[in-house]
Amino acid sequence: MNCSLIHRWTLACILGTLSSIAAAQDVNVSWTDPQMTALASTYDKLFSTEWSGGIDAGIGVQANPGDIAVVDDPVIAGRKAVRVHMSRAEDFSKIANGVPRAELIFPKAVSFAQGPDYLLRWSTFIPAGFAFDNKQAVIVTQVHQGERTGGPTIALSLQGNRYAISERGGANTSTVSAGKWLCCADADQGKWVNWSLRYIADDSGHHASTQLWKDGHSVFASQGIPNAYPGVQDAYLKMGLYKSGWKSSASDVSDITLFFGSVSVSKK
């Protein structure tokens, strides 16, 4: 497999090197670390949405008609959520580079430069009866490397009953520089999961920091490892479903549906 081509970012390329490397929709996370509670209050909000007015102006959509829709929250009355759905039988040839996807691209106003300290908060909902694919990963949230080609700078993915977080950057962006498998996605069916990402980008790694929390619990942290493409000052946020090998490789599933809740991006 040639992992140097953007069209070929399958599981082996996105997460294949990880083995060798080391309940509500509310984005106001209850941190288990008291110091993080204080730190979170020091950020200035750049963007937030609860989807109450639909998909906000300025958010781009890369999806076939009907694959992304604002719907009633599947659990909490009076709230809205984004339902993202894809079928393997769909024709994706007219979507971006023709790879199976249904994604939202967040505004350039919340793009990520190297140096500043960002805090991203979002939520995901895996519906009951969700069919997990043991053969292929699906990326559900990513920081994309601006106009550069290659694998996502930061990616949160699902494969089988596990999540995975991966990052890449520096001189060699063809391989994952840090990442971790996270258990257990099957235990999250039917409930909202709150994610928080603290991201300080640095292509040299000298000041780089990537930290991920799940429902306020720290699940991943890397320090001093390149986490940005060289020279990129306009990385951006994408959410939805991206399943690059779905049409060409074996898969356990023919349809996939995921929900996304409120999103907030802050900076200091």
Side-chain angles (χ1 to χ4, degrees):
M1 180 179 297
N2 182 358
C3 293
S4 65
L5 301 178
I6 187 171
H7 291 193
R8 301 295 298 164
W9 289 110
T10 57
L11 172 67
C13 301
I14 298 169
L15 303 176
T17 60
L18 294 189
S19 60
S20 63
I21 304 176
Q25 186 182 358
D26 191 354
V27 293
N28 294 316
V29 176
S30 297
W31 305 97
T32 56
D33 181 356
Q35 292 184 343
M36 192 57 205
T37 302
L39 178 63
S41 67
T42 66
Y43 289 79
D44 297 318
K45 188 171 292 184
L46 295 175
F47 173 87
S48 67
T49 180
E50 295 182 351
W51 311 114
S52 57
I55 295 175
D56 301 51
I59 295 180
V61 178
Q62 290 184 334
N64 282 322
D67 281 2
I68 296 180
V70 175
V71 299
D72 291 335
D73 187 302
V75 173
I76 303 172
R79 290 186 175 178
K80 295 293 184 180
V82 173
R83 178 182 183 269
V84 184
H85 171 83
M86 288 196 311
S87 171
R88 196 179 188 191
E90 288 181 51
D91 178 6
F92 296 97
S93 62
K94 297 181 181 179
I95 308 301
N97 58 0
V99 172
R101 73 173 79 220
E103 294 182 294
L104 296 173
I105 303 174
F106 284 77
K108 291 292 186 181
V110 295
S111 61
F112 308 111
Q114 297 189 39
D117 188 337
Y118 298 95
L119 183 64
L120 292 66
R121 304 184 192 184
W122 72 101
S123 49
T124 57
F125 181 93
I126 301 173
F130 181 89
F132 293 93
D133 192 346
N134 290 294
K135 294 186 174 71
Q136 287 190 35
V138 57
I139 298 176
V140 299
T141 305
Q142 62 175 289
V143 174
H144 192 276
Q145 59 288 350
E147 298 301 318
R148 294 284 296 274
T149 60
T153 307
I154 307 292
L156 178 67
S157 307
L158 275 169
Q159 191 202 359
N161 68 346
R162 297 186 294 180
Y163 302 99
I165 178 71
S166 64
E167 69 177 13
R168 65 185 72 229
N172 183 10
T173 56
S174 63
T175 61
V176 173
S177 56
K180 184 180 179 181
W181 292 103
L182 308 174
C183 186
C184 297
D186 53 349
D188 292 334
Q189 291 179 90
K191 67 180 183 180
W192 283 106
V193 173
N194 290 323
W195 300 94
S196 303
L197 176 71
R198 186 184 183 192
Y199 180 50
I200 304 173
D202 182 2
D203 57 23
S204 73
H206 294 154
H207 304 288
S209 179
T210 305
Q211 298 171 268
L212 182 71
W213 291 265
K214 179 175 183 258
D215 288 330
H217 297 269
S218 177
V219 292
F220 172 76
S222 73
Q223 305 285 335
I225 297 173
N227 61 355
Y229 274 53
V232 168
Q233 300 290 346
D234 59 350
Y236 57 89
L237 178 64
K238 300 182 76 177
M239 289 183 184
L241 302 172
Y242 179 86
K243 200 168 176 64
S244 63
W246 211 12
K247 290 282 192 176
S248 57
S249 302
S251 172
D252 293 326
V253 302
S254 57
D255 294 270
I256 183 169
T257 301
L258 200 68
F259 293 82
F260 292 83
S262 50
V263 179
S264 172
V265 180
S266 301
K267 173 185 174 181
K268 73 183 183 79

